[in-house]
Amino acid sequence: MNHEEIEEMLIPLRDYEKSCREIYLANPEAFRNVVWNWEEFKERFRATDHSGYALGEEPPVFMGNLLTEQDCFENESIEATVILHDRYAPPFYHNLKFIKIVYALRGGCRFFVQDKTQDRETVLNEGDFVIIPPEMNQAVFTGEEDAVTVNIILKRSTFGDSFYSLLLENDSISDFFWQMLYSKGSNRALVVRCGKDERLRSIVLDMCGEGLFCRKGAPAGGNLMMKGYVMLLFGWTLKAHQQKMEDVGSISASEAVLPVMIRYIRENYTTVTLTSVAKHFGKSEGYLSRYIRRETGKTFRFLLKEFRMKQAANMIENSTCNMEEVAEAIGYSDISCFYRNFKESFGCTPQQYRNKRNRVSL
């Protein structure tokens, strides 16, 4: 299936989109602002309507305020998928438990975030996309018949492991993801102004072909291919459009420091201490300890253990090092402390973890 064929399959309106279009054509004014639910939309529609159109009691599309990973991933082993945005659906706020990338494949769309108590609107032109973190109240509206808006969905629960190489870069996108993963609640989305970049467009069309039309009975490599497309999308974006990124939403000065600090801890996890981090950033140990706890909900010791254990798991799975060598490589001089922390993190001993992973790989 080539790109033209994939795009042709994406364009026709689905039945529920036709129902939404009928409502929109009767009263476009009702779609100008964001609502929280169908009841609020009905009130706004009736207050501004001059057509006499009779709305139904139930919305023609989903208008719930919460979407979880289970709602979007039929197979829990899948880590990236695509879902088409419903055209003409009333813009309504909903909160996500996953990472969403909204890409304007054809035509444009309107993106809304709730910034404190105000609605903030950003127009995405064709080729632009926005990266939306979990827990953010956001809405999207597409009001053109042949427009296509693609939602690329990434699991938050496995993002740090599945796309770890992305976090090792030193750029705007990696900073965004470090903050997203470790902040207690980010209210910042990242818009990328790409214009009509044909390479990005091709990557998204490939994702649609794999994720929408090969989903049923997909070959074993489907998940790996989707993750590869995500990495290609970010890689090309950083290469060609890094200077065309803009924040949407609010971020404080103290929040902006967090990804830099988290990266420093991660890069020096074998030797770093609270004292050395405080000295590096010119802060007192007391301030730094409180700052990390306030911004992440975790202690410095917990973060350090988390980085060390992830590296330990990677070494156990992908090397032949014995456990003493693994412990020493990640900064543990006390092997019993390493074993205890590993079991707390993964629920099994390091050797049990290796045995289990070896069975899976066979």
Side-chain angles (χ1 to χ4, degrees):
M1 189 183 304
N2 62 40
H3 289 164
E4 289 185 3
E5 291 172 332
I6 293 172
E7 189 169 351
E8 285 300 314
M9 295 177 70
L10 299 175
I11 293 174
L13 289 175
R14 293 157 287 181
D15 288 342
Y16 48 86
E17 290 178 312
K18 293 177 182 178
S19 299
C20 290
R21 180 186 59 180
E22 187 176 297
I23 299 171
Y24 175 79
L25 293 176
N27 183 9
E29 181 64 26
F31 292 74
R32 189 173 300 277
N33 300 109
V34 194
V35 296
W36 283 94
N37 50 49
W38 180 242
E39 292 302 316
E40 184 181 345
F41 177 77
K42 287 195 295 184
E43 291 179 10
R44 177 164 295 165
F45 186 94
R46 290 163 182 160
T48 57
D49 181 49
H50 302 288
S51 67
Y53 186 91
L55 288 176
E57 288 302 311
E58 299 296 327
V61 292
F62 170 83
M63 288 185 67
N65 294 127
L66 178 67
L67 279 172
T68 67
E69 290 183 353
Q70 289 73 23
D71 293 321
C72 298
F73 292 91
E74 299 174 1
N75 186 335
E76 64 179 24
S77 66
I78 301 298
E79 295 163 296
T81 190
V82 292
I83 300 173
L84 294 182
H85 180 71
D86 298 328
R87 284 164 287 189
Y88 296 107
F92 66 99
Y93 278 128
H94 49 292
N95 193 279
L96 313 174
K97 297 299 181 181
F98 46 79
I99 304 157
K100 182 168 79 167
I101 302 168
V102 178
Y103 180 83
L105 180 71
R106 282 176 61 95
C109 64
R110 297 158 60 201
F111 169 64
F112 301 87
V113 296
Q114 191 181 45
D115 190 5
K116 297 180 180 177
T117 58
Q118 296 183 335
D119 298 336
R120 182 169 177 180
E121 177 181 348
T122 300
V123 175
L124 299 182
N125 299 312
E126 185 172 311
D128 295 342
F129 68 89
V130 57
I131 310 171
I132 307 167
E135 314 296 345
M136 188 177 199
N137 289 323
Q138 50 81 47
V140 176
F141 177 71
T142 302
E144 300 174 36
E145 185 161 334
D146 61 350
V148 178
T149 303
V150 178
N151 295 321
I152 302 168
I153 310 298
L154 310 176
K155 278 187 175 177
R156 180 186 190 176
S157 58
T158 58
F159 184 88
D161 296 325
S162 301
F163 300 98
Y164 193 65
S165 59
L166 178 65
L167 297 173
L168 300 183
E169 299 295 323
N170 189 7
D171 52 60
S172 302
I173 289 181
S174 63
D175 278 357
F176 176 84
F177 285 127
W178 277 119
Q179 184 181 18
M180 178 201 75
L181 289 173
Y182 286 95
S183 175
K184 285 193 296 185
S186 177
N187 198 36
R188 169 198 177 203
L190 189 65
V191 173
V192 187
R193 301 292 185 184
C194 301
K196 296 185 179 181
D197 185 317
E198 287 302 318
R199 187 159 185 178
L200 273 181
R201 197 168 188 277
S202 295
I203 293 169
V204 176
L205 283 169
D206 283 333
M207 294 185 77
C208 290
E210 182 66 37
L212 294 174
F213 306 122
C214 297
R215 181 175 291 163
K216 293 183 179 179
N223 185 50
L224 187 60
M225 289 183 68
M226 290 297 288
K227 289 165 61 177
Y229 289 136
V230 172
M231 292 302 291
L232 279 173
L233 184 147
F234 286 134
W236 182 250
T237 298
L238 290 171
K239 185 175 182 178
H241 304 290
Q242 186 165 186
Q243 305 306 316
K244 304 169 187 175
M245 300 180 187
E246 58 192 58
D247 288 334
V248 176
S250 58
I251 179 171
S252 66
S254 64
E255 289 174 323
V257 176
L258 182 63
V260 182
M261 192 172 291
I262 293 295
R263 183 187 286 110
Y264 180 82
I265 297 170
R266 191 268 157 213
E267 289 175 349
N268 299 279
Y269 67 88
T270 58
T271 58
V272 77
T273 63
L274 183 64
T275 302
S276 66
V277 178
K279 183 177 180 181
H280 181 81
F281 288 96
K283 306 294 182 183
S284 71
E285 291 183 38
Y287 171 86
L288 186 67
S289 179
R290 291 190 297 273
Y291 170 81
I292 292 174
R293 187 65 177 263
R294 182 181 72 244
E295 296 297 331
T296 70
K298 302 174 182 179
T299 64
F300 170 80
R301 181 175 294 183
F302 185 92
L303 284 178
L304 183 58
K305 184 180 80 169
E306 188 174 79
F307 286 132
R308 287 177 169 176
M309 290 301 105
K310 283 184 178 180
Q311 182 60 22
N314 182 57
M315 290 184 67
I316 290 168
E317 186 175 351
N318 298 299
S319 78
T320 58
C321 294
N322 61 43
M323 300 313 159
E324 288 76 12
E325 291 171 326
V326 172
E328 183 179 358
I330 65 169
Y332 280 89
S333 57
D334 184 345
I335 189 68
S336 62
C337 181
F338 165 68
Y339 271 87
R340 183 171 60 253
N341 286 341
F342 192 94
K343 191 166 186 178
E344 286 176 359
S345 298
F346 297 100
C348 61
T349 68
Q351 189 59 54
Q352 288 170 337
Y353 184 89
R354 173 170 277 172
N355 294 341
K356 182 169 62 175
R357 293 291 170 166
N358 286 342
R359 286 196 300 272
V360 170
S361 63
L362 289 174

